[in-house]
Amino acid sequence: FDGGVYRGLGGGVYSEGGTFEISSGEIKSNNANSGGGIYVKGAGATLTMSGGKISANKAVADGTNGGAGGGIFIGTGAKLTISGGTVGGSSDAEGNSATIGGGIYMMDNGAKAEMTGGSITHNKGGKSGGGVYISDYNSNPRSLFTLKGGTVSYNTAKNGGGITAFGDFNMDGGSIEENTATGDSDPSLNLGTGGGIDLVAAVMNMTGGEIKK
């Protein structure tokens, strides 16, 4: 899927309640309001990534709508599993971008993700969550991202260069490294927090792994 433009949900792939597996190939240069590369939603829906690349996709806001999940949008009830492959690329030009969740955006009300390998790298959040944005602290059940292996690296955002967490985040392996919270030229906006992780009313349990420059 290369160069698709869909001003809605899932520029490259839209999956509702289905099963989608990526082991090789590339989903790149697609645009949508949310889920520039892939949008997955619905109870029982799964996205499994063991290889391949999701790169240079954009979630483009239309006024006050959209702009979430440049590479992947995981909706209510869906689950993402990453054991290999790359969300982003080897340079900023290959990274995915969005207002929130440059690499991955997780919706509230039970969206889940587990990462045991692979990389989320060189993605950009215009506001928050360069690599991953986990929403939302007010929902029941809350969304949950579990990092057991792989790397979240070289992502940037004004807040939460690597990860912005409103939902729950468990870390017992892997590495969060070389991410940057750039801040804003207007200091009154109180941006520039959490180069690696920005926790906002979130619950984080860390039993392993590394958070480093």
Side-chain angles (χ1 to χ4, degrees):
F1 301 91
D2 185 358
V5 178
Y6 178 67
R7 297 296 185 185
L9 307 177
V13 177
Y14 176 89
S15 176
E16 183 171 355
T19 298
F20 184 44
E21 299 182 6
I22 305 170
S23 58
S24 63
E26 188 169 5
I27 296 173
K28 66 178 182 179
S29 303
N30 302 287
N31 296 343
N33 287 146
S34 292
I38 303 172
Y39 189 108
V40 180
K41 66 173 288 188
T46 61
L47 170 59
T48 303
M49 185 175 186
S50 59
K53 183 185 286 189
I54 300 169
S55 63
N57 301 287
K58 297 180 181 180
V60 182
D62 180 7
T64 59
N65 298 315
I72 300 171
F73 186 110
I74 298 297
T76 297
K79 182 177 181 180
L80 166 68
T81 302
I82 302 174
S83 60
T86 302
V87 179
S90 58
S91 68
D92 290 348
E94 287 190 314
N96 304 286
S97 63
T99 304
I100 52 177
I104 298 169
Y105 177 91
M106 297 176 61
M107 192 63 183
D108 52 9
N109 287 317
K112 297 186 184 303
E114 180 176 282
M115 183 174 179
T116 59
S119 61
I120 300 170
T121 183
H122 286 284
N123 302 289
K124 182 178 181 180
K127 183 178 179 181
S128 301
V132 181
Y133 187 102
I134 310 165
S135 180
D136 181 328
Y137 67 91
N138 238 356
S139 65
N140 184 21
R142 293 157 66 95
S143 53
L144 171 64
F145 180 72
T146 301
L147 180 62
K148 296 182 176 181
T151 60
V152 179
S153 63
Y154 296 99
N155 302 287
T156 62
K158 290 180 179 180
N159 277 353
I163 297 172
T164 291
F166 284 85
D168 296 338
F169 176 49
N170 293 337
M171 182 176 182
D172 58 21
S175 178
I176 299 172
E177 57 185 82
E178 297 286 356
N179 301 285
T180 303
T182 60
D184 192 274
S185 57
D186 183 352
S188 69
L189 296 177
N190 193 32
L191 299 176
T193 58
I197 306 170
D198 188 25
L199 297 174
V200 187
V203 176
M204 176 180 174
N205 295 300
M206 182 176 180
T207 57
E210 295 182 298
I211 302 171
K212 61 183 182 180
K213 181 177 180 182

